[in-house]
Amino acid sequence: MPIWNDDNASHLLNRAGFGASRKDIPKYLHYGHAQAVDRLVSIPGSGAKGPGRADDDADDLAALRAWWIKRMVKASSRRLQEKMCLFWHDHFATGVSTTKNNLRMSLQNRTFRLYGLGSFRQLALEVTRDAAMLDFLDGNLNRAGKPNENYGRELMELFVLGVTDLNGAENYTQTDVTQIARALTGFQIDRDTNLGYFDPTRWDGGSKTLFSGKSFQAAGALGVLDAAQQPLPANRNVIDILLTHRDSDGELTAPRFLARKLWEYFAYPGPSKALVSELAAAFIGSGFVVSELLRAIFLHEEFYSERAKTSTVKNPCEYAFHAVRALDVKTNAKSLADLLSDMGMDLFDPPSVNGWNNGLPWVSSGQFLARFEFAQALAAGRDSTLRFRPELLAVPGESPDAVVNRVLGRLGITARVPDGARQALVDYLGVAPDFSDLAVLDTKVRGLVMVALSMPEMHVH
Amino acid sequence: MALTRRRFLTRSALAGAAITAPHPLLRAMLGPGTAHAAPSNPILVLVQLEGGNDGLNTVIPVAGAQRGLYETARPSIGVPAVNLSATLIDNDPVTHDALALHPAMTALKTLYDAGKVAVINGVGYPNQNLSHFRSEEIWFGADPVAPFGDGWFGRYLETTFSPSDLVAVDVDSTLNPIFVAPGANTLAIVRLSDFRLPDDPLAPDLAAKKLALDTLYGVEANPLETSGLQRTIAASGDLLLSKIADYALVPTGWSSNLDPLGTSLARRLKQVASILRYDAGLPTAPTGARFFHVRLGGFDTHTQQGALTQRQPLLLGRLSDAIAAFLADLAGISTALADRTLVVTFSEFGRRPAENDSGANAGTDHGASSVLFAVGNAVNGGVYGRVPALDDLDSSKNLKFHTDFRRVYATIIDQWLGAPGDHVGLLPGAPFSTLGFL
């Protein structure tokens, strides 16, 4: 077990949420490691839902975005739940610019909040009948005699299995795509409720064969739901059948696929096969419960390694919300969606069904400059959209060194800043600044925060 | 030595074919043009059609047996022959039957008639994957086998330029993998007007903040000071800070043929034209950018693809109009600039010949080979290769490719970028024979 110290508690709160405020770290230190993790993962599903009507009104969408951002920025006990909403939005990526329906996006967001920490089987089933997803990947047009392969392919490729397994073997063939497309026929969207449902008259009830020739081959009248909207038995239910798919070395595919993806999201890219298999075993042992996979990740010694603390580029939400929390910035979240958009993250509108390009693309030049813009907007925050108070960071009579050290400490990057870079911040404050002078606070302390938030260290965790 | 011999053999094969084969077959095999020297400081604009562009409704059989098969496969989204008379191009080099561009592409047709458009049919790769994302990686990396590592153009940059030469710009908010390689640096710019350092309007202090940022990024870019991802970010940020001043001076308010189009592709190509215009006007060419990637999304037409209206016709019209306006802009700036510029389109795959539904909902699922365009004054215009046969589909009922996509890349590298050779190291599986469209 890792030593339960400031650094590790801060790392856990950065990854399992959106960064720690000053009060968070002592609280989670006090819990101890196991209980701290338990408090983060053991959160029941929430039915909280943002605003939005069944059209693509831009003001409604802005309100929906602000509603979710506010939850992410302020979440305390539910911080991991909101982080997982973001993860699943990236995983089951669906875009409002295609669906043109804010209500359906809001309902999908609630689905992630309700089921995102629970059974993955349930979550996959809910997403399969989710109205926004049915619209986004044409599931509502997929019907007997007129199969549409769009959702079936992505269900296997992006949502449950991956193109290839951990050994590089192909997980499915084009024949499997055509077969699963037929099995997924029959879903429709109720235009009054904006909910998806199964219409058996549109379902292809004929026999299909999935994974032909494999030990886990499944054949018969495959589908997902019955006329009463209840899941078909496991031997005919394609969601269950996908969960029985095995890698070429005989291990279950989906648990490894998800364990790897979650590890890469929360720790670092390229985990070893042994680590992935170990996490997958915990997931299988729990009956595919997502929170138990996350518990295994957050309790793992490797999660607290130097590599896990320095090898991932923060996505724009992680970068921005960490800064807001660490510097006690007050916000009504209304301006944050646009700032996130400039940094490359349009909430409710990821670039494709593959979600966002996580990693170094986040800091390619245009988006990197947008992070400077965010840093400036936060540092210059003087109203309810963003309110940052420089007097909280500089006490009259203090030295520039003391102020710089306080800012770096709050941001949690002290140990990673080289002396020369720290000196550039001290020099920026000038010789003997008077922190009782409001002009100095307004120009130099705000300016210092803009520069500090723009440092390379701020983008890595 | 090996390189020279391969080129000799290629040319011998060409010469032999010229003697023994009838003209259309020669065109089918080798294309209509003869190669000429690459320009100095060539400019390349790669236009990516995201989602898998349906080649069969982009370059359409107008007559003959393939036309009959086309109409059978596409009762709803098939473009009626009567709508194709204004966009006819040369006949299919193998079937000799008439072909036409989609009627939305009248601007491209005008360029075609001027001999500036190469239509390269049947482009693809072995064992088409049919996944958008894997197939994009294959096109980006020029490698249909290995997991994605580097972009092929990133490898070209890495072997040709120093990391501080920022010669490539992705007109996007995020950097496309095509430009990514360990020793390659590329800028991603959506709007030149945003390419600047911000300041606090109520308490301005820009010069001091810039000095602090320049200093600390300089320190952290030093491998003795930082490591890993932190240093990677510091190094690219350091380079970026050094280029901001150059790009801040690029004017964007000039009157461009792209302005009236109002599409995102037109806006993005306007950024490219602005950079090229600025550099062309100054002997030092301050930005030095010559290689660009722009993206046009929306080609994943599983539904509502449309024959004459709806999704794909709209996109093809936008593509055609924007390319034509862009080239008109460059010609208006200087003939020399237009002569140095090549535009090449690509898409991760084509689409299935058979439509998947009927009426307005009809669309097409993921396919295999597709068509791409190379456009510019230096292009040897014409039709390269046949439209893949509709009566000889692969096991997924998709069009078979006959031209490996890496032959297109090899042609660009060899004939346009002026880097002849076997391209081992740039193109996995090399050598590939060139196509003659340049």
Side-chain angles (χ1 to χ4, degrees), chain B residues 36 43-45 108 110-112 114-119 323-324 326-328 330-331 335 337-345 373-382 384 416 437-438:
Chain B
H36 49 70
I43 293 160
L44 176 64
V45 182
L108 201 67
T110 304
L111 289 168
Y112 185 91
K116 296 179 180 179
V117 179
V119 173
I323 289 176
F326 173 69
L327 292 177
L330 299 193
T335 309
L337 179 61
D339 287 347
R340 284 166 55 211
T341 302
L342 172 67
V343 177
V344 178
T345 68
F373 299 113
V375 192
N377 290 353
V379 165
N380 297 316
Y384 291 75
W416 190 248
F437 62 83
L438 289 167

mmCIF file of all heavy atoms in Angstrom, chain B residues 36 43-45 108 110-112 114-119 323-324 326-328 330-331 335 337-345 373-382 384 416 437-438:
data_model
loop_
_atom_site.group_PDB
_atom_site.id
_atom_site.type_symbol
_atom_site.label_atom_id
_atom_site.label_comp_id
_atom_site.label_asym_id
_atom_site.label_seq_id
_atom_site.Cartn_x
_atom_site.Cartn_y
_atom_site.Cartn_z
ATOM 1 N N HIS B 36 7.190 15.947 -64.384
ATOM 2 C CA HIS B 36 8.118 17.061 -64.543
ATOM 3 C C HIS B 36 8.741 17.371 -63.193
ATOM 4 O O HIS B 36 8.339 16.819 -62.169
ATOM 5 C CB HIS B 36 7.409 18.277 -65.127
ATOM 6 C CG HIS B 36 6.130 18.597 -64.423
ATOM 7 N ND1 HIS B 36 6.076 19.089 -63.160
ATOM 8 C CD2 HIS B 36 4.844 18.446 -64.834
ATOM 9 C CE1 HIS B 36 4.818 19.246 -62.807
ATOM 10 N NE2 HIS B 36 4.048 18.849 -63.796
ATOM 11 N N ILE B 43 4.132 23.836 -52.144
ATOM 12 C CA ILE B 43 3.077 23.991 -51.128
ATOM 13 C C ILE B 43 2.099 22.840 -51.305
ATOM 14 O O ILE B 43 1.734 22.501 -52.435
ATOM 15 C CB ILE B 43 2.361 25.347 -51.322
ATOM 16 C CG1 ILE B 43 3.332 26.499 -51.007
ATOM 17 C CG2 ILE B 43 1.098 25.432 -50.459
ATOM 18 C CD1 ILE B 43 2.917 27.821 -51.608
ATOM 19 N N LEU B 44 1.706 22.229 -50.200
ATOM 20 C CA LEU B 44 0.769 21.107 -50.262
ATOM 21 C C LEU B 44 -0.364 21.348 -49.262
ATOM 22 O O LEU B 44 -0.116 21.655 -48.094
ATOM 23 C CB LEU B 44 1.495 19.799 -49.918
ATOM 24 C CG LEU B 44 0.628 18.539 -49.849
ATOM 25 C CD1 LEU B 44 0.022 18.204 -51.196
ATOM 26 C CD2 LEU B 44 1.455 17.351 -49.332
ATOM 27 N N VAL B 45 -1.586 21.222 -49.743
ATOM 28 C CA VAL B 45 -2.750 21.343 -48.867
ATOM 29 C C VAL B 45 -3.497 20.018 -48.900
ATOM 30 O O VAL B 45 -4.024 19.619 -49.946
ATOM 31 C CB VAL B 45 -3.682 22.490 -49.325
ATOM 32 C CG1 VAL B 45 -4.863 22.629 -48.365
ATOM 33 C CG2 VAL B 45 -2.919 23.797 -49.429
ATOM 34 N N LEU B 108 -15.330 22.401 -59.665
ATOM 35 C CA LEU B 108 -14.234 21.460 -59.900
ATOM 36 C C LEU B 108 -14.222 21.032 -61.369
ATOM 37 O O LEU B 108 -13.163 20.797 -61.952
ATOM 38 C CB LEU B 108 -14.374 20.248 -58.977
ATOM 39 C CG LEU B 108 -13.094 19.455 -58.744
ATOM 40 C CD1 LEU B 108 -12.069 20.259 -57.958
ATOM 41 C CD2 LEU B 108 -13.383 18.150 -58.000
ATOM 42 N N THR B 110 -14.988 22.890 -63.905
ATOM 43 C CA THR B 110 -14.312 23.953 -64.650
ATOM 44 C C THR B 110 -12.799 23.793 -64.561
ATOM 45 O O THR B 110 -12.084 23.918 -65.557
ATOM 46 C CB THR B 110 -14.742 25.332 -64.095
ATOM 47 O OG1 THR B 110 -16.163 25.410 -64.165
ATOM 48 C CG2 THR B 110 -14.127 26.465 -64.885
ATOM 49 N N LEU B 111 -12.315 23.479 -63.366
ATOM 50 C CA LEU B 111 -10.875 23.247 -63.203
ATOM 51 C C LEU B 111 -10.443 21.995 -63.960
ATOM 52 O O LEU B 111 -9.349 21.942 -64.522
ATOM 53 C CB LEU B 111 -10.534 23.098 -61.711
ATOM 54 C CG LEU B 111 -10.624 24.373 -60.864
ATOM 55 C CD1 LEU B 111 -10.549 24.029 -59.377
ATOM 56 C CD2 LEU B 111 -9.491 25.334 -61.231
ATOM 57 N N TYR B 112 -11.310 20.994 -63.970
ATOM 58 C CA TYR B 112 -10.996 19.765 -64.709
ATOM 59 C C TYR B 112 -10.805 20.090 -66.189
ATOM 60 O O TYR B 112 -9.840 19.651 -66.826
ATOM 61 C CB TYR B 112 -12.104 18.722 -64.525
ATOM 62 C CG TYR B 112 -11.764 17.392 -65.184
ATOM 63 C CD1 TYR B 112 -11.101 16.392 -64.479
ATOM 64 C CD2 TYR B 112 -12.071 17.168 -66.523
ATOM 65 C CE1 TYR B 112 -10.754 15.195 -65.093
ATOM 66 C CE2 TYR B 112 -11.726 15.978 -67.152
ATOM 67 C CZ TYR B 112 -11.074 14.988 -66.430
ATOM 68 O OH TYR B 112 -10.717 13.818 -67.045
ATOM 69 N N ALA B 114 -9.867 22.709 -67.474
ATOM 70 C CA ALA B 114 -8.617 23.446 -67.672
ATOM 71 C C ALA B 114 -7.395 22.559 -67.454
ATOM 72 O O ALA B 114 -6.262 23.038 -67.453
ATOM 73 C CB ALA B 114 -8.578 24.650 -66.719
ATOM 74 N N GLY B 115 -7.628 21.266 -67.251
ATOM 75 C CA GLY B 115 -6.503 20.331 -67.126
ATOM 76 C C GLY B 115 -5.838 20.362 -65.760
ATOM 77 O O GLY B 115 -4.694 19.954 -65.614
ATOM 78 N N LYS B 116 -6.544 20.858 -64.740
ATOM 79 C CA LYS B 116 -5.911 21.041 -63.428
ATOM 80 C C LYS B 116 -6.359 20.032 -62.381
ATOM 81 O O LYS B 116 -6.018 20.167 -61.211
ATOM 82 C CB LYS B 116 -6.204 22.466 -62.921
ATOM 83 C CG LYS B 116 -5.588 23.535 -63.802
ATOM 84 C CD LYS B 116 -5.913 24.929 -63.299
ATOM 85 C CE LYS B 116 -5.268 25.966 -64.242
ATOM 86 N NZ LYS B 116 -5.572 27.332 -63.813
ATOM 87 N N VAL B 117 -7.160 19.052 -62.787
ATOM 88 C CA VAL B 117 -7.693 18.096 -61.809
ATOM 89 C C VAL B 117 -7.347 16.668 -62.227
ATOM 90 O O VAL B 117 -7.684 16.254 -63.347
ATOM 91 C CB VAL B 117 -9.225 18.217 -61.666
ATOM 92 C CG1 VAL B 117 -9.753 17.187 -60.655
ATOM 93 C CG2 VAL B 117 -9.617 19.629 -61.248
ATOM 94 N N ALA B 118 -6.688 15.946 -61.349
ATOM 95 C CA ALA B 118 -6.501 14.506 -61.542
ATOM 96 C C ALA B 118 -7.536 13.787 -60.697
ATOM 97 O O ALA B 118 -7.656 14.043 -59.497
ATOM 98 C CB ALA B 118 -5.097 14.088 -61.128
ATOM 99 N N VAL B 119 -8.306 12.909 -61.340
ATOM 100 C CA VAL B 119 -9.316 12.099 -60.651
ATOM 101 C C VAL B 119 -8.697 10.715 -60.476
ATOM 102 O O VAL B 119 -8.433 10.025 -61.466
ATOM 103 C CB VAL B 119 -10.599 12.015 -61.500
ATOM 104 C CG1 VAL B 119 -11.584 11.033 -60.876
ATOM 105 C CG2 VAL B 119 -11.221 13.392 -61.665
ATOM 106 N N ILE B 323 -12.311 24.706 -52.936
ATOM 107 C CA ILE B 323 -11.028 24.472 -53.617
ATOM 108 C C ILE B 323 -10.862 25.466 -54.764
ATOM 109 O O ILE B 323 -9.800 26.077 -54.941
ATOM 110 C CB ILE B 323 -10.937 23.019 -54.126
ATOM 111 C CG1 ILE B 323 -10.770 22.060 -52.944
ATOM 112 C CG2 ILE B 323 -9.767 22.865 -55.096
ATOM 113 C CD1 ILE B 323 -10.771 20.580 -53.342
ATOM 114 N N ALA B 324 -11.929 25.658 -55.536
ATOM 115 C CA ALA B 324 -11.838 26.575 -56.676
ATOM 116 C C ALA B 324 -11.562 28.000 -56.203
ATOM 117 O O ALA B 324 -10.727 28.708 -56.790
ATOM 118 C CB ALA B 324 -13.124 26.510 -57.492
ATOM 119 N N PHE B 326 -10.175 28.940 -53.417
ATOM 120 C CA PHE B 326 -8.822 28.988 -52.852
ATOM 121 C C PHE B 326 -7.783 29.148 -53.956
ATOM 122 O O PHE B 326 -6.894 30.004 -53.886
ATOM 123 C CB PHE B 326 -8.586 27.706 -52.048
ATOM 124 C CG PHE B 326 -7.191 27.519 -51.533
ATOM 125 C CD1 PHE B 326 -6.703 28.340 -50.528
ATOM 126 C CD2 PHE B 326 -6.361 26.526 -52.045
ATOM 127 C CE1 PHE B 326 -5.410 28.159 -50.031
ATOM 128 C CE2 PHE B 326 -5.077 26.338 -51.560
ATOM 129 C CZ PHE B 326 -4.598 27.161 -50.550
ATOM 130 N N LEU B 327 -7.909 28.332 -55.009
ATOM 131 C CA LEU B 327 -6.931 28.424 -56.096
ATOM 132 C C LEU B 327 -7.058 29.751 -56.842
ATOM 133 O O LEU B 327 -6.057 30.309 -57.293
ATOM 134 C CB LEU B 327 -7.092 27.236 -57.047
ATOM 135 C CG LEU B 327 -6.687 25.885 -56.427
ATOM 136 C CD1 LEU B 327 -6.950 24.743 -57.391
ATOM 137 C CD2 LEU B 327 -5.218 25.883 -56.001
ATOM 138 N N ALA B 328 -8.281 30.268 -56.926
ATOM 139 C CA ALA B 328 -8.460 31.587 -57.551
ATOM 140 C C ALA B 328 -7.779 32.665 -56.711
ATOM 141 O O ALA B 328 -7.152 33.590 -57.254
ATOM 142 C CB ALA B 328 -9.947 31.886 -57.710
ATOM 143 N N LEU B 330 -5.113 32.262 -54.836
ATOM 144 C CA LEU B 330 -3.661 32.159 -55.021
ATOM 145 C C LEU B 330 -3.250 32.717 -56.373
ATOM 146 O O LEU B 330 -2.252 33.424 -56.488
ATOM 147 C CB LEU B 330 -3.210 30.701 -54.888
ATOM 148 C CG LEU B 330 -3.479 30.031 -53.545
ATOM 149 C CD1 LEU B 330 -2.715 28.720 -53.449
ATOM 150 C CD2 LEU B 330 -3.109 30.913 -52.369
ATOM 151 N N ALA B 331 -4.044 32.413 -57.421
ATOM 152 C CA ALA B 331 -3.720 32.924 -58.755
ATOM 153 C C ALA B 331 -3.773 34.447 -58.757
ATOM 154 O O ALA B 331 -2.977 35.100 -59.438
ATOM 155 C CB ALA B 331 -4.679 32.337 -59.782
ATOM 156 N N THR B 335 0.915 34.219 -60.007
ATOM 157 C CA THR B 335 0.936 32.965 -60.755
ATOM 158 C C THR B 335 1.961 32.015 -60.141
ATOM 159 O O THR B 335 1.740 30.809 -60.057
ATOM 160 C CB THR B 335 1.294 33.229 -62.229
ATOM 161 O OG1 THR B 335 0.434 34.257 -62.706
ATOM 162 C CG2 THR B 335 1.119 31.987 -63.072
ATOM 163 N N LEU B 337 2.826 31.713 -57.097
ATOM 164 C CA LEU B 337 2.290 31.084 -55.887
ATOM 165 C C LEU B 337 1.317 29.964 -56.269
ATOM 166 O O LEU B 337 1.371 28.856 -55.724
ATOM 167 C CB LEU B 337 1.580 32.137 -55.027
ATOM 168 C CG LEU B 337 0.944 31.629 -53.728
ATOM 169 C CD1 LEU B 337 1.986 31.032 -52.795
ATOM 170 C CD2 LEU B 337 0.192 32.768 -53.025
ATOM 171 N N ALA B 338 0.437 30.231 -57.223
ATOM 172 C CA ALA B 338 -0.515 29.204 -57.658
ATOM 173 C C ALA B 338 0.223 28.001 -58.235
ATOM 174 O O ALA B 338 -0.163 26.851 -57.982
ATOM 175 C CB ALA B 338 -1.482 29.786 -58.680
ATOM 176 N N ASP B 339 1.282 28.266 -58.988
ATOM 177 C CA ASP B 339 2.036 27.157 -59.601
ATOM 178 C C ASP B 339 2.700 26.270 -58.556
ATOM 179 O O ASP B 339 2.954 25.097 -58.803
ATOM 180 C CB ASP B 339 3.119 27.703 -60.547
ATOM 181 C CG ASP B 339 2.518 28.265 -61.834
ATOM 182 O OD1 ASP B 339 1.322 28.013 -62.085
ATOM 183 O OD2 ASP B 339 3.255 28.961 -62.562
ATOM 184 N N ARG B 340 3.000 26.831 -57.407
ATOM 185 C CA ARG B 340 3.690 26.062 -56.356
ATOM 186 C C ARG B 340 2.720 25.275 -55.489
ATOM 187 O O ARG B 340 3.146 24.618 -54.539
ATOM 188 C CB ARG B 340 4.459 27.026 -55.429
ATOM 189 C CG ARG B 340 5.756 27.587 -56.008
ATOM 190 C CD ARG B 340 6.235 28.763 -55.162
ATOM 191 N NE ARG B 340 6.387 28.394 -53.751
ATOM 192 C CZ ARG B 340 6.208 29.227 -52.723
ATOM 193 N NH1 ARG B 340 5.855 30.478 -52.934
ATOM 194 N NH2 ARG B 340 6.365 28.803 -51.482
ATOM 195 N N THR B 341 1.415 25.371 -55.754
ATOM 196 C CA THR B 341 0.429 24.831 -54.825
ATOM 197 C C THR B 341 -0.288 23.602 -55.374
ATOM 198 O O THR B 341 -0.770 23.602 -56.511
ATOM 199 C CB THR B 341 -0.611 25.926 -54.477
ATOM 200 O OG1 THR B 341 0.082 27.047 -53.928
ATOM 201 C CG2 THR B 341 -1.615 25.403 -53.458
ATOM 202 N N LEU B 342 -0.359 22.587 -54.545
ATOM 203 C CA LEU B 342 -1.075 21.350 -54.878
ATOM 204 C C LEU B 342 -2.084 21.066 -53.764
ATOM 205 O O LEU B 342 -1.743 21.114 -52.577
ATOM 206 C CB LEU B 342 -0.073 20.189 -54.980
ATOM 207 C CG LEU B 342 -0.660 18.778 -55.143
ATOM 208 C CD1 LEU B 342 -1.356 18.639 -56.489
ATOM 209 C CD2 LEU B 342 0.438 17.727 -54.989
ATOM 210 N N VAL B 343 -3.326 20.776 -54.160
ATOM 211 C CA VAL B 343 -4.368 20.396 -53.207
ATOM 212 C C VAL B 343 -4.697 18.925 -53.445
ATOM 213 O O VAL B 343 -4.941 18.519 -54.592
ATOM 214 C CB VAL B 343 -5.641 21.260 -53.401
ATOM 215 C CG1 VAL B 343 -6.744 20.807 -52.446
ATOM 216 C CG2 VAL B 343 -5.325 22.735 -53.214
ATOM 217 N N VAL B 344 -4.694 18.124 -52.386
ATOM 218 C CA VAL B 344 -5.022 16.701 -52.523
ATOM 219 C C VAL B 344 -6.079 16.345 -51.482
ATOM 220 O O VAL B 344 -5.930 16.684 -50.306
ATOM 221 C CB VAL B 344 -3.774 15.813 -52.319
ATOM 222 C CG1 VAL B 344 -4.150 14.330 -52.417
ATOM 223 C CG2 VAL B 344 -2.701 16.137 -53.353
ATOM 224 N N THR B 345 -7.139 15.685 -51.912
ATOM 225 C CA THR B 345 -8.172 15.247 -50.976
ATOM 226 C C THR B 345 -7.932 13.795 -50.583
ATOM 227 O O THR B 345 -7.289 13.044 -51.315
ATOM 228 C CB THR B 345 -9.579 15.333 -51.595
ATOM 229 O OG1 THR B 345 -9.696 14.356 -52.629
ATOM 230 C CG2 THR B 345 -9.851 16.715 -52.156
ATOM 231 N N PHE B 373 -8.948 13.429 -55.306
ATOM 232 C CA PHE B 373 -8.613 14.449 -56.296
ATOM 233 C C PHE B 373 -7.259 15.064 -55.964
ATOM 234 O O PHE B 373 -6.956 15.307 -54.801
ATOM 235 C CB PHE B 373 -9.648 15.581 -56.282
ATOM 236 C CG PHE B 373 -11.050 15.151 -56.626
ATOM 237 C CD1 PHE B 373 -12.058 15.199 -55.668
ATOM 238 C CD2 PHE B 373 -11.360 14.714 -57.905
ATOM 239 C CE1 PHE B 373 -13.355 14.812 -55.980
ATOM 240 C CE2 PHE B 373 -12.660 14.316 -58.227
ATOM 241 C CZ PHE B 373 -13.657 14.364 -57.265
ATOM 242 N N ALA B 374 -6.481 15.331 -57.034
ATOM 243 C CA ALA B 374 -5.311 16.183 -56.902
ATOM 244 C C ALA B 374 -5.558 17.372 -57.817
ATOM 245 O O ALA B 374 -5.915 17.193 -58.985
ATOM 246 C CB ALA B 374 -4.051 15.433 -57.313
ATOM 247 N N VAL B 375 -5.424 18.587 -57.261
ATOM 248 C CA VAL B 375 -5.814 19.784 -58.002
ATOM 249 C C VAL B 375 -4.693 20.815 -57.940
ATOM 250 O O VAL B 375 -4.139 21.066 -56.868
ATOM 251 C CB VAL B 375 -7.098 20.409 -57.412
ATOM 252 C CG1 VAL B 375 -7.659 21.476 -58.350
ATOM 253 C CG2 VAL B 375 -8.158 19.347 -57.140
ATOM 254 N N GLY B 376 -4.376 21.410 -59.076
ATOM 255 C CA GLY B 376 -3.379 22.473 -59.106
ATOM 256 C C GLY B 376 -2.887 22.699 -60.525
ATOM 257 O O GLY B 376 -3.108 21.868 -61.409
ATOM 258 N N ASN B 377 -2.200 23.833 -60.715
ATOM 259 C CA ASN B 377 -1.694 24.150 -62.055
ATOM 260 C C ASN B 377 -0.719 23.105 -62.563
ATOM 261 O O ASN B 377 -0.604 22.880 -63.765
ATOM 262 C CB ASN B 377 -0.975 25.514 -62.034
ATOM 263 C CG ASN B 377 -1.954 26.658 -61.840
ATOM 264 O OD1 ASN B 377 -3.165 26.433 -61.861
ATOM 265 N ND2 ASN B 377 -1.443 27.861 -61.650
ATOM 266 N N ALA B 378 0.006 22.468 -61.678
ATOM 267 C CA ALA B 378 1.050 21.533 -62.086
ATOM 268 C C ALA B 378 0.519 20.120 -62.299
ATOM 269 O O ALA B 378 1.259 19.244 -62.736
ATOM 270 C CB ALA B 378 2.153 21.500 -61.030
ATOM 271 N N VAL B 379 -0.746 19.904 -61.999
ATOM 272 C CA VAL B 379 -1.302 18.548 -62.105
ATOM 273 C C VAL B 379 -1.478 18.163 -63.570
ATOM 274 O O VAL B 379 -1.857 18.990 -64.404
ATOM 275 C CB VAL B 379 -2.665 18.509 -61.356
ATOM 276 C CG1 VAL B 379 -3.463 17.266 -61.725
ATOM 277 C CG2 VAL B 379 -2.437 18.572 -59.858
ATOM 278 N N ASN B 380 -1.187 16.909 -63.886
ATOM 279 C CA ASN B 380 -1.538 16.369 -65.194
ATOM 280 C C ASN B 380 -2.981 15.897 -65.101
ATOM 281 O O ASN B 380 -3.259 14.816 -64.593
ATOM 282 C CB ASN B 380 -0.637 15.188 -65.550
ATOM 283 C CG ASN B 380 0.818 15.602 -65.661
ATOM 284 O OD1 ASN B 380 1.125 16.638 -66.252
ATOM 285 N ND2 ASN B 380 1.705 14.810 -65.088
ATOM 286 N N GLY B 381 -3.893 16.732 -65.586
ATOM 287 C CA GLY B 381 -5.314 16.457 -65.406
ATOM 288 C C GLY B 381 -5.747 15.211 -66.149
ATOM 289 O O GLY B 381 -5.140 14.800 -67.128
ATOM 290 N N GLY B 382 -6.808 14.601 -65.655
ATOM 291 C CA GLY B 382 -7.353 13.429 -66.319
ATOM 292 C C GLY B 382 -7.883 12.416 -65.328
ATOM 293 O O GLY B 382 -7.921 12.672 -64.125
ATOM 294 N N TYR B 384 -7.479 8.780 -63.664
ATOM 295 C CA TYR B 384 -6.467 7.763 -63.396
ATOM 296 C C TYR B 384 -7.128 6.505 -62.866
ATOM 297 O O TYR B 384 -7.658 6.488 -61.765
ATOM 298 C CB TYR B 384 -5.444 8.299 -62.392
ATOM 299 C CG TYR B 384 -4.579 9.384 -62.967
ATOM 300 C CD1 TYR B 384 -5.085 10.665 -63.153
ATOM 301 C CD2 TYR B 384 -3.274 9.125 -63.375
ATOM 302 C CE1 TYR B 384 -4.322 11.664 -63.715
ATOM 303 C CE2 TYR B 384 -2.494 10.119 -63.929
ATOM 304 C CZ TYR B 384 -3.016 11.392 -64.100
ATOM 305 O OH TYR B 384 -2.252 12.375 -64.660
ATOM 306 N N TRP B 416 6.448 15.962 -56.165
ATOM 307 C CA TRP B 416 6.055 17.301 -55.704
ATOM 308 C C TRP B 416 6.990 17.821 -54.625
ATOM 309 O O TRP B 416 7.442 18.965 -54.665
ATOM 310 C CB TRP B 416 4.609 17.287 -55.193
ATOM 311 C CG TRP B 416 4.077 18.657 -54.932
ATOM 312 C CD1 TRP B 416 3.768 19.209 -53.727
ATOM 313 C CD2 TRP B 416 3.813 19.668 -55.912
ATOM 314 N NE1 TRP B 416 3.321 20.498 -53.895
ATOM 315 C CE2 TRP B 416 3.341 20.808 -55.232
ATOM 316 C CE3 TRP B 416 3.940 19.720 -57.307
ATOM 317 C CZ2 TRP B 416 2.995 21.983 -55.890
ATOM 318 C CZ3 TRP B 416 3.581 20.892 -57.961
ATOM 319 C CH2 TRP B 416 3.118 22.003 -57.253
ATOM 320 N N PHE B 437 0.351 11.674 -61.948
ATOM 321 C CA PHE B 437 -0.561 12.824 -61.982
ATOM 322 C C PHE B 437 0.169 14.144 -61.739
ATOM 323 O O PHE B 437 -0.411 15.209 -61.785
ATOM 324 C CB PHE B 437 -1.751 12.642 -61.028
ATOM 325 C CG PHE B 437 -1.407 12.524 -59.569
ATOM 326 C CD1 PHE B 437 -1.195 13.646 -58.792
ATOM 327 C CD2 PHE B 437 -1.311 11.273 -58.967
ATOM 328 C CE1 PHE B 437 -0.894 13.544 -57.444
ATOM 329 C CE2 PHE B 437 -1.006 11.156 -57.614
ATOM 330 C CZ PHE B 437 -0.797 12.295 -56.857
ATOM 331 N N LEU B 438 1.473 14.057 -61.465
ATOM 332 C CA LEU B 438 2.291 15.268 -61.314
ATOM 333 C C LEU B 438 3.436 15.234 -62.305
ATOM 334 O O LEU B 438 3.930 14.161 -62.655
ATOM 335 C CB LEU B 438 2.837 15.369 -59.884
ATOM 336 C CG LEU B 438 1.814 15.694 -58.822
ATOM 337 C CD1 LEU B 438 2.394 15.450 -57.426
ATOM 338 C CD2 LEU B 438 1.401 17.167 -58.932
#
